[in-house]
Amino acid sequence: MSNNTTKISILLPTRGRTQQLFNSINSLIVNADEPGSIEWLFGFDSDDTETYQWFETNVIPMIEESGGVFTCLQFQPLGYERLNEYVNALAAQAEGNWFVFWNDDAVMETTGLFKTTIPVDNAVTPDTNPLNEPDHKPVTVAVCYRDWE
């Protein structure tokens, strides 16, 4: 489920780490310039009902309050060695211009990292990439620009 302002799709498979998931999502919302432009795509294992129930109660309200939109997919458990299958399925549903593969225990400490108004031609230059600034800690994420429509 996306909205007309979606520019960034967060692809986030998760299992059993409820508090880490909450902290991770909260850190992205708090530090995003435009949290309402984020589309959240979550992958849950079908046998992990406890995490999903906790997600419904604690995470969905936070996402809705931020103005973001979300989609949840359920999978037969694939295990960490097949993580790519979760991510590929989530990416197939994503509607954002940018896809970010995010871990459920990662925490964003950099403000303004998701500046959605940066032109694509300038998005990864040293002048526009906040990770090249000395006061920012490096974060490893996979980011893909969607340019096939």
Side-chain angles (χ1 to χ4, degrees):
M1 163 204 253
S2 183
N3 63 31
N4 292 335
T5 62
T6 298
K7 296 182 181 178
I8 297 169
S9 297
I10 303 290
L11 313 176
L12 208 164
T14 186
R15 181 180 177 89
R17 298 195 281 196
T18 55
Q19 191 59 52
Q20 292 93 328
L21 177 64
F22 181 88
N23 294 342
S24 181
I25 294 167
N26 185 59
S27 74
L28 289 169
I29 290 172
V30 167
N31 289 302
D33 286 345
E34 300 174 35
S37 71
I38 298 174
E39 173 191 34
W40 303 88
L41 295 108
F42 297 95
F44 294 93
D45 286 340
S46 59
D47 65 346
D48 189 15
T49 56
E50 184 177 327
T51 299
Y52 185 76
Q53 290 169 351
W54 191 92
F55 172 85
E56 283 183 306
T57 303
N58 297 284
V59 177
I60 289 176
M62 179 173 49
I63 292 171
E64 289 177 338
E65 185 177 317
S66 76
V69 294
F70 67 93
T71 298
C72 297
L73 299 182
Q74 187 179 70
F75 296 87
Q76 291 301 315
L78 300 172
Y80 189 77
E81 60 278 352
R82 293 173 60 194
L83 184 61
N84 64 302
E85 294 180 42
Y86 292 98
V87 175
N88 289 342
L90 294 172
Q93 299 294 314
E95 296 181 19
N97 293 326
W98 292 90
F99 294 0
V100 179
F101 170 40
W102 193 254
N103 290 322
D104 60 4
D105 62 349
V107 175
M108 179 58 62
E109 295 178 348
T110 304
T111 59
L113 185 63
F114 295 131
K115 289 186 177 186
T116 58
T117 56
I118 296 173
V120 173
D121 294 342
N122 298 326
V124 293
T125 67
D127 294 334
T128 60
N129 186 348
L131 296 179
N132 288 330
E133 295 177 14
D135 61 337
H136 290 7
K137 295 179 182 176
V139 176
T140 302
V141 293
V143 180
C144 303
Y145 181 67
R146 179 182 185 159
D147 191 24
W148 59 79
E149 292 182 313

